[in-house]
Amino acid sequence: MRPYLAGNTQALEHLNSYRQQKWLFLAERLTFVGALGFYGQQVLAGEGEQRYFSNPQKVAIGVAAASLLANVFISRNTNTHFQRAVEAHNAGWPAARGSLFQRVSPTAVGLTAAPTGQPQLALRWNLR
């Protein structure tokens, strides 16, 4: 998408923010999975009776909970940066490069009579 936004600095800034949010999201996911893996390793590491709430396990649970809380804040605004980049890009387009539907829409719509006398829909386009 960067080649399309090359001339629009505001859209590029929003796209850079989007990339930063995605990296934060990936780092948060790795932290969460790492904390769960560490907790599982601590539970299964000892011989004999398994312990589920020792001090290292408490830390792992806390890190996993903090990671989930951070995920809420990271995920909340990730896609808004991408939407802002697209909106900034679209705002810079001239009206002549609008949507295809606007370019092919008819200039006049009406009813006309066929040679058999039945009504027909009449559409007219102005060629530019």
Side-chain angles (χ1 to χ4, degrees):
M1 184 153 177
R2 287 197 184 279
Y4 297 112
L5 303 177
N8 193 336
T9 58
Q10 184 181 13
L12 283 174
E13 289 174 9
H14 289 301
L15 196 61
N16 289 337
S17 297
Y18 174 74
R19 181 177 15 173
Q20 179 185 6
Q21 288 291 108
K22 291 307 270 183
W23 280 110
L24 284 173
F25 176 77
L26 288 174
E28 181 276 326
R29 291 284 87 190
L30 287 174
T31 303
F32 181 74
V33 170
L36 287 182
F38 179 75
Y39 179 81
Q41 184 270 333
Q42 287 290 315
V43 169
L44 299 174
E47 300 233 354
E49 188 175 315
Q50 295 177 342
R51 299 183 63 192
Y52 293 100
F53 210 63
S54 65
N55 285 335
Q57 292 169 343
K58 290 177 189 177
V59 171
I61 291 171
V63 168
S67 176
L68 285 177
L69 184 62
N71 184 19
V72 170
F73 295 113
I74 291 169
S75 297
R76 185 176 181 190
N77 295 319
T78 298
N79 290 333
T80 58
H81 293 292
F82 188 76
Q83 290 170 349
R84 288 177 186 164
V86 171
E87 288 170 0
H89 176 63
N90 289 341
W93 279 34
R97 291 171 43 180
S99 70
L100 178 66
F101 181 71
Q102 291 174 342
R103 286 187 267 164
V104 297
S105 63
T107 56
V109 178
L111 291 175
T112 186
T116 60
Q118 295 176 336
Q120 292 182 334
L121 179 64
L123 302 172
R124 180 175 35 193
W125 285 271
N126 285 341
L127 302 176
R128 299 176 203 186

